[in-house]
Amino acid sequence: MTERRKKAGFTPFWRTKTLTQMSNAEWESLCDGCGKCCLHKIREDDGTLTLTNVACRLLDTVTGRCGNYRRRKTLVPDCVVLTPKMARDLDWLPSTCAYRLVGAGKDLPSWHPLKTGDPASVLQAGISVTGRCVSERTAGPLRHHVVEWPEF
């Protein structure tokens, strides 16, 4: 967001609308492209989550983007197509997730592309999984890929 917009009293849509009020374009633009939701997690017997750096086979590990976003649910049946209700309820969405933040009435982080105008800002801020994950096609056992990322 530019200084001019701030001074003119511009209020961005994510501060004035609920998730259910957003247009499809607004909803889709909330995604910062970090790729964290595409990583496999292990649900432990006690209910806790263990994070891995193993990505869905559709995630391009170089760009951090889905290789077939439009057909992801068809190609990967257990892919979760996020809804406003899910954004509030899913415990495995990262703490930095715009859907989670906006759903809780919070603002987007300063590095979010909607604020910076730069899609690369998520990578520059160290939030993206780009360069830090492996594809499920080559990973082997998930337990060999457990990670602890403080920003998750």
Side-chain angles (χ1 to χ4, degrees):
M1 184 169 14
T2 65
E3 275 305 309
R4 184 176 51 85
R5 283 184 164 175
K6 286 182 188 176
K7 288 180 182 174
F10 174 81
T11 304
F13 71 87
W14 63 88
R15 299 299 291 160
T16 61
K17 294 182 178 182
T18 65
L19 293 175
T20 56
Q21 294 171 326
M22 291 180 188
S23 68
N24 188 58
E26 290 168 336
W27 170 266
E28 291 293 330
S29 72
L30 281 182
C31 178
D32 60 32
C34 73
K36 291 177 183 174
C37 59
C38 300
L39 297 179
H40 289 276
K41 294 109 182 137
I42 302 167
R43 177 77 62 186
E44 304 294 350
D45 291 338
D46 65 0
T48 60
L49 285 175
T50 299
L51 178 64
T52 76
N53 68 343
V54 178
C56 165
R57 67 180 178 268
L58 292 181
L59 188 75
D60 183 323
T61 60
V62 175
T63 66
R65 303 301 268 186
C66 183
N68 200 330
Y69 186 75
R70 290 198 191 278
R71 295 190 57 226
R72 67 193 185 281
K73 184 69 175 169
T74 301
L75 298 170
V76 180
D78 62 343
C79 178
V80 175
V81 178
L82 203 58
T83 66
K85 181 174 180 353
M86 292 170 137
R88 288 186 298 273
D89 297 341
L90 292 176
D91 66 346
W92 51 262
L93 288 174
S95 61
T96 58
C97 177
Y99 298 108
R100 186 178 201 171
L101 292 170
V102 172
K106 298 178 181 175
D107 198 3
L108 300 178
S110 61
W111 48 260
H112 194 283
L114 284 174
K115 285 193 160 188
T116 66
D118 181 5
S121 60
V122 68
L123 181 60
Q124 293 162 353
I127 303 301
S128 174
V129 301
T130 301
R132 301 193 295 168
C133 61
V134 295
S135 174
E136 67 184 8
R137 294 178 192 262
T138 58
L142 289 179
R143 293 267 177 212
H144 294 178
H145 295 277
V146 170
V147 294
E148 290 187 30
W149 291 342
E151 76 284 357
F152 206 90

